[in-house]
Amino acid sequence: EVYQYSKEEAGYDGYQVAYENGTFTYSFNITKNSDVEIGDKVYTNGLGGIYPDGIYIGKVVNVFYDALGLEKNVKVKNL
């Protein structure tokens, strides 16, 4: 499955990036109704006009809810 991330869906302007052992990890929030799953590929979707459609970001390595259960948190590694 392919999941296309946009800043608009994340609900805030940006995401967190970490670099460890030669791999970037991106973390961001998405709506809790999203059907994203571990192993999904993540690409840009071109909305917002900053990045063009179809740039590979990585694979989803973790999906979990925030403390209140209102949003999903997603971690993506550029594998």
Side-chain angles (χ1 to χ4, degrees):
E1 170 130 358
V2 174
Y3 182 77
Q4 293 189 324
Y5 162 74
S6 70
K7 290 191 310 183
E8 292 80 8
E9 182 175 8
Y12 66 97
D13 188 23
Y15 48 87
Q16 297 176 344
V17 179
Y19 184 76
E20 183 178 344
N21 299 325
T23 303
F24 284 100
T25 301
Y26 305 90
S27 300
F28 49 90
N29 299 338
I30 59 173
T31 60
K32 71 177 183 177
N33 297 331
S34 176
D35 62 355
V36 65
E37 297 177 358
I38 293 174
D40 286 355
K41 294 179 182 177
V42 179
Y43 295 85
T44 58
N45 65 9
L47 295 176
I50 296 174
Y51 301 105
D53 182 35
I55 296 175
Y56 179 71
I57 296 173
K59 284 190 178 184
V60 176
V61 295
N62 197 0
V63 179
F64 54 96
Y65 286 96
D66 68 354
L68 299 175
L70 301 176
E71 295 179 326
K72 282 185 182 176
N73 295 296
V74 177
K75 287 195 177 188
V76 176
K77 282 192 177 182
N78 67 334
L79 304 172

